[in-house]
Every structure is written in C-alpha cells, then in structure tokens.
Amino acid sequence: MDATDYAERPELALVALLEMLHQCHRGASPALAAAIRTHLLVVAADTRHPEAVRDAAGRLALEWCTDLVSGEHSVTTH
C-alpha cells in the first residue's frame, strides 16, 4: 500500500492506521509510533472523512506517545 493510493482511496489510510495500532500491543518502536502519528495527521487533514473521524484523529495526533516518537520510551504489554 502506497501513500499515493490515499488520494484515490482515503479509507486505505484508516486501514493502515488500524493495522499499525494493532501492532502496538506487541511493543511500539519509535518508527512505528512516528508512522502512526503521521497517519493520524493524514486522516485528520482529509476532508473526505467524516468530521468526527477527522476531529478524533487530530486530537489523538496531538496526544500520541511523544516519547515513543522521539525514541525515549518503549511500550510493552504484560
């Protein structure tokens, strides 16, 4: 799946985001955390998504694991 596909099929950004979030339960790397934040911003900016989806994505992007994106912390599940 290429980001250029998002121009024609915005739902693919949501699919990719959900798949990455699923991977987080195993432990998030800084690269995965950054990719999730990027996808949240893509979804938030795409006016083809419902307003509620865009608003939620925008809020989550602001709060998304800043320490993970910077590589200062890792998440694991027990």
Side-chain angles (χ1 to χ4, degrees):
M1 186 173 348
D2 189 327
T4 58
D5 295 337
Y6 299 163
E8 293 183 24
R9 298 193 55 202
E11 73 277 11
L12 293 180
L14 285 169
V15 169
L17 176 58
L18 292 171
E19 289 176 0
M20 288 185 285
L21 288 169
H22 174 72
Q23 292 300 318
C24 271
H25 79 280
R26 296 181 188 156
S29 69
L32 178 58
I36 290 171
R37 185 170 188 278
T38 296
H39 277 74
L40 286 167
L41 293 170
V42 166
V43 170
D46 193 329
T47 58
R48 295 173 292 178
H49 293 297
E51 183 177 359
V53 172
R54 293 191 324 264
D55 289 348
R59 283 191 315 275
L60 289 170
L62 290 174
E63 299 175 11
W64 183 252
C65 304
T66 305
D67 54 343
L68 279 175
V69 173
S70 68
E72 296 176 11
H73 185 267
S74 63
V75 170
T76 57
T77 57
H78 302 281

